[in-house]
Amino acid sequence: MRAGDVLLSFDLDLLAQRARSVLTPVIVTADSGCEIRKRNLDCAVAVGEWLMEIVAQQAPAAAGSPADVTAITPAARRLTVGFEHGIHARPAALLAASLRPLAADVRLLARGRQANARSTVALMSLGVRHGDEIEIRATGPDAENALDALTAVFAAHESPPARAGTASYRELTAQDARQPAASSGASAVASGTLRGVVASPGLAVGPALQLRRPEIGVRERSLGVPEENAALDRARSEVRARLERRALGGATGDGARGAATEIAAAHLELLDDPELVASARTEIAAGRSAGFAWRAAVRASAATLESLADARLRERVDDLLDLETQVLLALAGNPVGAATTVPEHAIVLARELLPSQLIALDGARVAGIGMAAGGATSHAAILAAAMGIPALVALGNEVLAVPDGTEVVLDAANGVLEIAPGESRLVSARARVAASAVQRAALAAAAQRECRTADGTRIEVLANIGSVAEAQAALRNGAEGCGLLRTEFLFLDRQSPPSEAEQTAEYLKIAEVLGARPLTIRTLDAGGDKPIAYLPLPKEENPALGLRGVRTSLAWPQLLRTQLRAVLAVRGPAQCRLLLPMISEVEEIETVRTMLAEIQRELGRADALSVGVMIETPAAALLAERIAAVADFLSIGTNDLTQYTLAMDRGHPQLAARLDALHPAVLRLIARTAEGARAHGRHVAVCGGLASEPLAAPLLVGLGVHELSAVPALIPQLKARIASLSLSDCRSLAVEALAQPNATAVRALAAAVPRAAEARS
Ligand code: PEP
Ligand code: MG
């Protein structure tokens, strides 16, 4: 069948006259080999209008010869999706990217539909959620490799339902931002007051400034297929170049740089999405202009995403529309990115602010943001939170009728926009803005100070990071350095290992951000739940019990040598330390030390590099005293220590609630580790997820831990919690905790400890 052929025809009039109601289901069955690619939803469709597009996926299997069946039978694999939020933008981009070097046609089947696995947009459109079962089918010479590549991405990013402290920085930002009014609806409740949803908390007062999306006229008529294709390519490369510059981190102020970088990376994926580009090319081939074709392709994908039940995916529509604008502006020869001039303390109002519009604003002059539509986890919302600008979304269209210059109060604590509320309210709101600025500064300043218990015992609070952007976020939150740099970020999602020069450059960038603060570089922790595509790791019955962490590094010594050389090249003010993951016996440490000494000799370097050991296995905890004799410091990885102590897979969804690092058995191993460290006067840290739980902090301190390395966003709370208790309080708590029968009892005990200092902050 060709595009435009009649699929169904019937005499509607005749039917309507004979039937009491007319309903015409059009059913495309899952096993028909066809799929609905696009459809017209939620609107009346006139006779002759476009209804839907159905595409044939593959030739139906010919009955008969088994050889024929084999030829078209794809390689297939079934998996359960472990991505915390299902296949949303980032996982979809990772899955699509993993297939780039492979020659295979790969489809992902879920929820009764299928999608081209190379297309971020198509993958997102499936609406796959955490725990969904999916099937991957691949055909072509690299079919098996494609299955392996996708399986590796799924395995590497599995996450159990997050407990506080295990979520990433960006997710915490979004969740924090959503807190106060997540359940509130959208529309105005009284004249002069509009209710919305908090996207970035805070209070702001100032004059309204309506920011409208640029109206871009697009002609439909084509100037010729080659000309229009060339124009589209030119415009896309212009936008690509700009996004690449932004992805490298140069386009915004400090506060938002990390978020802007991530957003640019997401836009880059969409810009080259094969389905989106193919759909635009089809329109061009059908006689449309490049602009018309691009708009049609983007709008069709946006309509599919908008029809999904998953709010996170619906919010990615913003990104698509932003990209539509950027390409259309480039086609029209208008640059985007020029800063928009705004009056001081402006409250910017818009239907839906695009991330690129927000980046183009002068952040220092914007006091608040109010959007008629949008969601709390949209990229514009995340960016506003990263820029520290209070923002409300879903205020309803009434907000667009507020005249420019009207004084408004944006209360993004209670989810309310007050329009021209009267002088006394304006005065009191301005006073509160000034007071909370002082308060915020105090909290930030407190977090910037050294952390001590109420009676003055020094506890270091550092950050777990995996990128330059996270290092910046860590310092903003008062981190006293980096207690764990997960170097996997350099090794994953690529087809060959990073060179020494590349690693050195990345470590140096992070060291520069941290200045003189400690930088703890963990050697590659591959294997187990972090498979690496280019390492021929054997197929293992139990990967978590197989070649992982230091075992992988010792099995590929050249990989470790390169990494050690790169770490040794990090000179300058940073206090660089090395950390070895998954140690289970003393000999492993000695082997690495010997290799390190050889490399130092080769490089003519005599300076000592501090070598720490992660305590992640019960064996290491029980041998802590022996290990401490040969290590410079110990760092407890409670994520793995808990999984191996409780014999519960850290990625197992049904066991997630019971996989609690506050289990008394884990606490006893932590106590044993601290004792072992003490015997040799060694520093002992905790860098697993437990270190990011303010509830657990006093307990860890009481058990003898000197350092916590945590998720950046939680550092101010951790510091306040530690400052609220004396060392003897912490010790008594620890003694009691060790005697509890289970993790629930330990949690109850820790929760009962007064939180005086936290309440004050
Ligand atoms: C841990 O196991 O606690 C740890 C910090 O390492 P990772 O989570 O990277 O395995
Ligand atoms: Mg670990």
Side-chain angles (χ1 to χ4, degrees):
M1 182 174 305
R2 292 155 52 110
D5 283 356
V6 174
L7 179 65
L8 291 172
S9 71
F10 45 79
D11 187 340
L12 194 58
D13 190 41
L14 183 72
L15 280 174
Q17 283 174 22
R18 305 228 173 132
R20 291 177 71 193
S21 101
V22 182
L23 202 66
T24 314
V26 178
I27 299 167
V28 179
T29 57
D31 60 358
S32 65
C34 294
E35 71 167 334
I36 300 172
R37 180 182 282 173
K38 291 185 237 163
R39 66 183 122 176
N40 226 340
L41 277 178
D42 299 328
C43 61
V45 179
V47 175
E49 258 185 28
W50 183 82
L51 179 64
M52 65 173 79
E53 185 180 328
I54 298 173
V55 289
Q57 286 307 310
Q58 60 190 47
S65 130
D68 288 347
V69 173
T70 319
I72 58 157
T73 300
R77 204 168 287 174
R78 295 188 80 78
L79 293 168
T80 302
V81 173
F83 293 117
E84 192 182 346
H85 302 297
I87 303 185
H88 64 96
R90 179 82 185 124
L94 286 175
L95 290 167
S98 74
L99 296 175
R100 250 179 235 142
L102 303 174
D105 177 61
V106 192
R107 306 271 143 185
L108 210 136
L109 288 76
R111 300 183 160 242
R113 291 181 298 138
Q114 57 174 296
N116 176 354
R118 292 180 187 278
S119 164
T120 305
V121 173
L123 287 175
M124 285 196 289
S125 306
L126 288 174
V128 171
R129 303 203 170 181
H130 178 92
D132 276 1
E133 183 148 303
I134 55 140
E135 185 175 332
I136 312 167
R137 286 190 199 158
T139 46
D142 282 334
E144 280 297 335
N145 293 338
L147 294 185
D148 287 346
L150 291 185
T151 307
V153 176
F154 276 111
H157 295 83
E158 263 182 15
S159 60
R163 169 175 290 138
T166 55
S168 73
Y169 165 65
R170 200 176 115 194
E171 278 152 1
L172 281 165
T173 309
Q175 281 163 9
D176 289 348
R178 237 189 358 253
Q179 267 172 24
S183 60
S184 65
S187 54
V189 290
S191 107
T193 303
L194 298 176
R195 290 204 68 83
V197 173
V198 177
S200 170
L203 180 72
V205 189
L209 173 75
Q210 294 285 352
L211 203 73
R212 306 201 197 282
R213 259 186 214 181
E215 277 302 322
I216 311 163
V218 171
R219 85 184 133 74
E220 181 174 352
R221 196 176 43 81
S222 168
L223 300 178
V225 173
E227 289 78 2
E228 298 296 348
N229 272 323
L232 180 62
D233 289 342
R234 252 194 325 276
R236 285 175 53 238
S237 18
E238 205 178 290
V239 173
R240 188 179 302 109
R242 192 165 43 240
L243 289 172
E244 277 166 356
R245 278 199 300 280
R246 199 179 292 153
L248 286 175
T252 61
D254 272 350
R257 187 165 292 170
T261 299
E262 282 196 28
I263 292 164
H267 284 188
L268 272 169
E269 280 296 336
L270 292 176
L271 184 70
D272 291 327
D273 189 279
E275 296 272 306
L276 205 58
V277 175
S279 161
R281 297 236 188 269
T282 308
E283 293 282 341
I284 290 176
R288 316 267 196 237
S289 74
F292 194 94
W294 181 250
R295 176 174 277 176
V298 169
R299 296 276 166 102
S301 294
T304 312
L305 287 188
E306 224 153 5
S307 69
L308 296 174
D310 188 327
R312 269 172 195 276
L313 289 174
R314 284 204 306 271
E315 285 161 8
R316 297 286 78 81
V317 168
D318 280 6
D319 294 316
L320 276 170
L321 297 180
D322 195 345
L323 207 58
E324 174 192 315
T325 307
Q326 294 184 56
V327 172
L328 292 185
L329 283 172
L331 273 168
N334 294 335
V336 277
T340 309
T341 327
V342 285
E344 217 162 333
H345 305 305
I347 308 289
V348 171
L349 303 177
R351 206 188 85 74
E352 250 183 293
L353 214 50
L354 302 175
S356 62
Q357 282 180 298
L358 191 44
I359 288 168
L361 288 174
D362 180 353
R365 301 175 82 86
V366 178
I369 293 169
M371 297 189 221
T377 58
S378 66
H379 270 149
I382 288 171
L383 197 51
M387 292 166 94
I389 302 175
L392 291 175
V393 296
L395 283 161
N397 284 339
E398 292 89 338
V399 77
L400 303 177
V402 178
D404 278 355
T406 311
E407 288 291 327
V408 296
V409 174
L410 184 123
D411 181 354
N414 298 307
V416 177
L417 182 76
E418 300 163 46
I419 302 150
E423 198 50 32
S424 69
R425 170 63 181 141
L426 287 171
V427 169
S428 73
R430 280 193 198 107
R432 256 186 59 209
V433 168
S436 62
V438 172
Q439 233 173 27
R440 253 199 330 276
L443 200 68
Q448 295 302 327
R449 278 200 294 273
E450 280 188 355
C451 178
R452 292 187 183 275
T453 57
D455 55 347
T457 306
R458 175 85 171 98
I459 303 295
E460 290 173 42
V461 182
L462 281 71
N464 291 352
I465 60 175
S467 66
V468 177
E470 284 180 356
Q472 290 161 337
L475 293 196
R476 282 199 301 279
N477 283 289
E480 298 165 29
C482 161
L484 172 64
L485 173 66
R486 288 184 162 105
T487 56
E488 294 77 64
F489 79 100
L490 272 170
F491 291 80
L492 296 170
D493 303 330
R494 53 191 295 158
Q495 299 309 313
S496 58
S499 66
E500 183 185 328
E502 190 181 339
Q503 290 188 55
T504 305
E506 287 300 319
Y507 303 151
L508 272 173
K509 274 193 244 164
I510 292 172
E512 270 162 26
V513 172
L514 294 177
R517 300 172 186 87
L519 167 58
T520 314
I521 303 182
R522 179 173 75 180
T523 58
L524 177 63
D525 187 17
D529 61 342
K530 300 167 197 159
I532 287 198
Y534 48 86
L535 278 191
L537 288 164
K539 279 221 177 331
E540 295 174 318
E541 281 278 304
N542 291 304
L545 305 180
L547 269 182
R548 55 161 305 193
V550 79
R551 300 172 193 170
T552 316
S553 296
L554 293 177
W556 277 273
Q558 201 42 48
L559 208 62
L560 179 59
R561 289 182 68 82
T562 307
Q563 187 166 31
L564 294 179
R565 289 175 71 94
V567 172
L568 282 167
V570 183
R571 297 173 191 247
Q575 301 167 29
C576 202
R577 344 189 258 205
L578 194 72
L579 186 58
L580 308 177
M582 282 297 295
I583 293 287
S584 57
E585 54 193 31
V586 169
E587 289 70 18
E588 290 163 329
I589 309 161
E590 286 167 343
T591 309
V592 178
R593 276 203 183 276
T594 307
M595 191 186 280
L596 190 63
E598 273 168 26
I599 298 171
Q600 284 188 294
R601 261 196 310 279
E602 283 162 24
L603 296 174
R605 297 277 302 271
D607 44 333
L609 178 68
S610 181
V611 178
V613 165
M614 285 195 78
I615 304 295
E616 299 182 280
T617 62
L622 294 170
L623 287 179
E625 202 254 308
R626 291 288 189 85
I627 291 176
V630 294
D632 295 310
F633 64 97
L634 306 183
S635 184
I636 305 170
T638 50
N639 306 336
D640 278 316
L641 185 60
T642 307
Q643 103 162 322
Y644 296 124
T645 304
L646 303 184
M648 290 181 187
D649 187 331
R650 63 192 272 186
H652 198 301
Q654 270 114 351
L655 296 175
R658 293 173 55 199
L659 194 83
D660 192 335
L662 284 182
H663 192 291
V666 181
L667 296 183
R668 285 173 189 227
L669 290 175
I670 296 175
R672 178 85 176 237
T673 305
E675 268 167 42
R678 202 174 310 121
H680 295 276
R682 305 293 190 219
H683 184 80
V684 58
V686 175
C687 65
L690 192 61
S692 298
E693 285 202 55
L695 181 89
L699 232 164
L700 294 175
V701 170
L703 288 172
V705 166
H706 309 113
E707 172 192 316
L708 299 177
S709 188
V711 171
L714 287 162
I715 289 175
Q717 275 185 59
L718 278 173
K719 286 188 162 183
R721 180 88 170 128
I722 292 166
S724 72
L725 293 164
S726 69
L727 185 60
S728 60
D729 291 338
C730 294
R731 284 189 176 146
S732 322
L733 177 68
V735 169
E736 263 196 87
L738 289 174
Q740 297 305 310
N742 53 42
T744 313
V746 175
R747 282 197 176 272
L749 185 74
V753 173
R755 298 167 169 233
E758 273 178 278
R760 276 200 302 279
S761 63

